[in-house]
Amino acid sequence: MIKHQVIVVGGGLAGLRAAIAATDGGAEAVVISQVYPVRSHSGAAQGGINAPLGNAEDGKDDTWERHALDTVKGSDYLADQDAVEVLTKKASSTIFELEHWGVPFSRTAEGKIAQRPFGGGAFPRTCYAADKTGRVLLHTLFEQALKRKIKIYPEWIVLALAVEENTCRGLIAYHLPTGTIEEFQAQVVIFATGGYGHVFARSTNSLINTGSGMAAAYYAGAPLKDMEFVQFHPTSLVGTNILITEGARGEGGYLINKNNERFMEKYAPKAMELAPRDIVARSILTEINEGRGIEDSYVYLDLRHLGKEKILERLPEIRDHAMHFSAVDPVEKPIPVQPGQHYSMGGIDTDIDGRTEVEGLLAAGECACVSVHGANRLGGNSLLDTVVFGHSAGVVAAQLVQGKPCVEDSSALLNEREKVNKRLRVLFSGTGNEDPAVIRNELKNIMFDKVGIFRRGEEIKEALSSIRELKEKYSRLRVIKSTRIFNIDFVRANELKGMLDLAEIIACGALQREESRGSHFRSDFPTRDDANWLKHTMVSNMLEAPQFSYKDVKITRWQPEARNY
Ligand SMILES: Cc1cc2nc3c(=O)[nH]c(=O)nc-3n(C[C@H](O)[C@H](O)[C@H](O)COP(=O)(O)OP(=O)(O)OC[C@H]3O[C@@H](n4cnc5c(N)ncnc54)[C@H](O)[C@@H]3O)c2cc1C
């Protein structure tokens, strides 16, 4: 059994920031990560990170209050406003700290941190490093972790949390390169395991983003919140669904249909291409559904008028992606784009310090729901969320372990280990003939087609019955190869259980919410209904079945209003 004071699960931005803060707070903290930390999905973030610095010529009047209002309005009033205040008040100092740690932000002519406009923002407030913002942030935080000699366990995959009397005692993890399965005892566990993108087809996320952390927390008794709110990014490359950053529109890119019309004029006459993502994604799909898409499946993102110099300076990687994956040079031709699943607004329910309902289990970043994004996240706010709330979770973890002696060997770990062993025996000696890869693909398509950008009660019900059939098939899996070493089949088959359960939770939440709010659009209930639905959806794992309840939204100073852009 391996023992540490604080175990952070996840080597992305939220996890690294948490581990750094816990270490600085005097705790002994380590990081467990399914992939080497710098390969976490955070490194794929392109467009930037928000803070009301007021550095842009037309952004001098920006304030944290304005950033907060934009975030709350962007969230369609479902965000908890006390959490949004924390996020936006801390934004500027967070950026300065990152800058002092070495993040090479792009600069204005006077040498200040450059800021570009992003969707739903009143001012240009998205700080960026060309179109590689996530990568430079992640490498900088990784350096800070190395400087503090924080121990990393790369390629360890957490299979389950060990909880007794609603207190987290540690976890069970699988070491991919050697096949070892180990118990890790901890006084505090921080989950920073990212989103569940691949529960849906056409996701912009890394392949490892399957929500295995959210599922493990849910099985361990931590409720999930607002899971029906799934962000679809308006612009991903047709075919691969590699993201084309909102920064491309922030720099002035146009969206055009097959008739060469800038169709956003009809849907958001003021904000145009820089309306929030939920609105732009629905507009694109409406154009396609009404026959104005190209080949009935996509629209164009046109950057040609920006000129080669600006594209090379501000969007070099976007150009690279378009050239390599779509054979289109955006300097000369428009990029074919379509909406793709992008972000999980919902997640493990936490308070403002990252505490979950399970004692000793904290969560931060995309796997958590504090909630600052409500029904729709604004671009540039997620990177900020990971760093701000990753930091608070680390600080709280260090306080929790202060003077607390390491618990003696807990039976919870041994019990959980036994359950994991049982699951392995079932997976390795299956007698059925169902292929987990087939189940996974069917699930992803059902979710994209029936619980996607436009939802209808009847279709969600069909999705639910298909998901339940797939769950039944999952109980009859064919045997997977039994080697323990580097067994990706095992990893995939194991995480599929969580994906099926998360899909069911997302679909149930979507069916029950009979209104349209942010990313959740019900064609059969097309308006927002504050009287009945201004509330968070909570779901707990009771007796193996999801149990739904609702919780009030915290409103501090911004009363819900109509959302016009
Ligand atoms: C292509 C793309 C571009 C984006 N661009 C932007 C942007 O410009 N601005 C913005 O604000 N947001 C952006 N986002 C969103 C943002 O990048 C993410 O929400 C954020 O980086 C998530 O960080 P995280 O630390 O929570 O999780 P991640 O970076 O996803 O890290 C999750 C970590 O958890 C580990 N992990 C997961 N499960 C397990 C397990 N079972 N056992 C062990 N380890 C596990 C993984 O190894 C990984 O280290 C973008 C997202 C994508 C997909």
Side-chain angles (χ1 to χ4, degrees):
M1 187 179 296
I2 297 172
K3 297 184 184 182
H4 294 290
Q5 276 190 331
V6 176
I7 297 182
V8 180
V9 184
L13 285 172
L16 291 178
R17 190 64 193 87
I20 292 167
T23 306
D24 290 351
E28 185 260 338
V30 300
V31 173
I32 294 183
S33 177
Q34 175 158 0
V35 291
Y36 204 71
V38 288
R39 294 189 64 85
S40 304
H41 188 61
S42 292
Q46 302 169 348
I49 173 165
N50 292 342
L53 301 180
N55 287 350
E57 214 29 66
D58 49 349
K60 299 215 180 312
D61 295 332
D62 206 2
T63 57
W64 75 261
E65 287 95 336
R66 195 55 230 230
H67 184 187
L69 170 61
D70 289 345
T71 303
V72 168
K73 187 175 163 193
S75 82
D76 221 346
Y77 294 89
L78 192 71
D80 282 324
Q81 297 183 5
D82 54 345
V84 173
E85 290 195 22
V86 170
L87 179 84
T88 50
K89 280 181 190 163
K90 288 189 176 171
S92 296
S93 59
T94 298
I95 297 294
F96 295 138
E97 177 175 66
L98 291 167
E99 184 197 30
H100 294 161
W101 279 351
V103 173
F105 285 112
S106 294
R107 298 280 156 179
T108 63
E110 317 106 284
K112 292 182 181 166
I113 294 173
Q115 297 188 280
R116 57 168 50 128
F118 248 50
F123 298 106
R125 68 165 72 95
T126 306
C127 311
Y128 60 95
D131 51 4
K132 315 174 200 320
T133 315
R135 189 143 80 245
V136 298
L137 290 175
L138 192 59
H139 280 258
T140 304
L141 287 194
F142 190 54
E143 277 172 14
Q144 291 296 321
L146 293 180
K147 184 173 155 191
R148 288 165 178 77
K149 302 195 168 43
I150 292 172
K151 184 172 169 57
I152 312 274
Y153 289 89
E155 299 188 310
W156 281 87
I157 301 172
V158 172
L159 302 177
L161 280 164
V163 171
E164 66 188 347
E165 290 162 7
N166 200 39
T167 305
C168 182
R169 300 286 185 213
L171 49 88
I172 313 293
Y174 163 69
H175 190 218
L176 192 61
T178 61
T180 314
I181 291 181
E182 189 68 71
E183 297 112 62
F184 286 75
Q185 184 182 294
Q187 285 163 281
V188 176
V189 173
I190 303 177
F191 260 30
T193 50
Y196 54 63
H198 281 277
V199 168
F200 287 78
R202 295 195 191 173
S203 175
T204 65
N205 286 196
S206 303
L207 285 171
I208 59 161
N209 289 18
T210 60
S212 58
M214 282 185 207
Y218 169 74
Y219 299 139
L224 304 179
K225 181 160 82 196
D226 291 340
M227 292 294 283
E228 65 270 35
F229 295 100
V230 181
Q231 181 161 79
F232 295 87
H233 196 289
T235 60
S236 69
L237 278 184
V238 176
T240 55
N241 297 103
I242 290 173
L243 184 79
I244 299 296
T245 174
E246 188 166 307
R249 282 171 282 135
E251 294 296 346
Y254 298 152
L255 287 169
I256 50 180
N257 61 18
K258 77 170 182 196
N259 305 327
N260 222 15
E261 293 158 342
R262 267 183 87 187
F263 55 83
M264 283 310 298
E265 218 163 66
K266 277 183 288 187
Y267 306 96
K270 278 191 280 176
M272 296 289 286
E273 282 86 357
L274 288 179
R277 289 177 178 171
D278 55 333
I279 295 173
V280 183
R282 279 196 293 275
S283 308
I284 293 177
L285 204 58
T286 304
E287 290 296 300
I288 295 171
N289 290 347
E290 293 180 358
R292 293 181 296 278
I294 297 116
E295 294 178 3
D296 287 335
S297 60
Y298 58 91
V299 297
Y300 282 134
L301 173 65
D302 196 351
L303 306 182
R304 288 173 295 183
H305 55 287
L306 303 182
K308 187 169 183 179
E309 201 181 324
K310 191 164 179 183
I311 293 175
L312 287 185
E313 185 207 323
R314 307 273 177 88
L315 303 164
E317 205 159 67
I318 289 309
R319 180 176 184 229
D320 228 50
H321 290 334
M323 286 168 70
H324 284 107
F325 295 96
S326 288
V328 163
D329 181 352
V331 172
E332 284 156 13
K333 283 192 187 153
I335 313 173
V337 291
Q338 61 184 188
Q341 189 288 343
H342 185 60
Y343 184 80
S344 333
M345 263 80 69
I348 306 163
D349 177 41
T350 71
D351 70 7
I352 225 155
D353 295 321
R355 289 189 180 86
T356 71
E357 295 276 309
V358 175
E359 221 174 291
L361 176 66
L362 307 176
E366 192 171 338
C367 72
C369 181
V370 49
S371 116
V372 286
H373 310 302
N376 173 65
R377 168 177 80 85
L378 291 189
N381 267 355
S382 170
L383 292 180
L384 182 63
D385 166 8
T386 62
V387 189
V388 167
F389 292 103
H391 172 259
S392 350
V395 169
V396 169
Q399 286 162 0
L400 287 174
V401 299
Q402 283 286 315
K404 198 173 154 191
C406 206
V407 269
E408 283 312 306
D409 289 355
S410 144
S411 57
L413 278 157
L414 300 176
N415 292 344
E416 201 55 49
R417 171 66 191 256
E418 197 31 56
K419 280 193 217 156
V420 167
N421 284 345
K422 213 166 123 193
R423 209 154 84 216
L424 294 183
R425 281 196 294 274
V426 173
L427 282 176
F428 288 130
S429 61
T431 50
N433 54 7
E434 299 294 345
D435 182 344
V438 172
I439 298 180
R440 187 186 180 101
N441 279 339
E442 277 183 32
L443 175 73
K444 288 160 66 97
N445 287 327
I446 290 164
M447 291 304 282
F448 191 86
D449 294 341
K450 302 208 161 147
V451 199
I453 298 177
F454 289 110
R455 300 167 167 178
R456 269 192 322 111
E458 279 313 305
E459 285 187 354
I460 305 174
K461 280 185 198 155
E462 284 166 25
L464 268 170
S465 79
S466 306
I467 295 166
R468 286 168 186 153
E469 274 167 34
L470 293 177
K471 284 176 88 164
E472 201 271 320
K473 283 188 181 173
Y474 183 82
S475 65
R476 288 183 278 111
L477 284 192
R478 67 174 165 71
V479 66
I480 54 174
K481 73 174 183 293
S482 63
T483 170
R484 289 280 170 97
I485 296 176
F486 245 104
N487 193 341
I488 295 292
D489 280 356
F490 158 61
V491 175
R492 288 282 166 94
N494 184 60
E495 71 195 6
L496 182 56
K497 175 171 169 32
M499 293 169 77
L500 287 160
D501 285 332
L502 294 183
E504 186 180 20
I505 289 168
I506 293 167
C508 283
L511 182 63
Q512 289 179 25
R513 188 174 280 274
E514 295 186 332
E515 65 154 356
S516 289
R517 183 183 296 274
S519 66
H520 169 71
F521 193 91
R522 286 282 299 261
S523 311
D524 43 358
F525 296 95
T527 50
R528 195 175 80 195
D529 175 1
D530 288 334
N532 293 304
W533 288 104
L534 183 57
K535 54 192 182 187
H536 297 295
T537 306
M538 304 292 295
V539 55
S540 321
N541 184 28
M542 301 292 276
L543 303 170
E544 298 287 306
Q547 193 81 29
F548 283 82
S549 58
Y550 293 91
K551 186 159 111 175
D552 286 345
V553 173
K554 292 198 189 99
I555 293 184
T556 56
R557 52 168 107 182
W558 297 282
Q559 289 304 320
E561 284 176 10
R563 214 167 145 240
N564 299 317
Y565 288 95

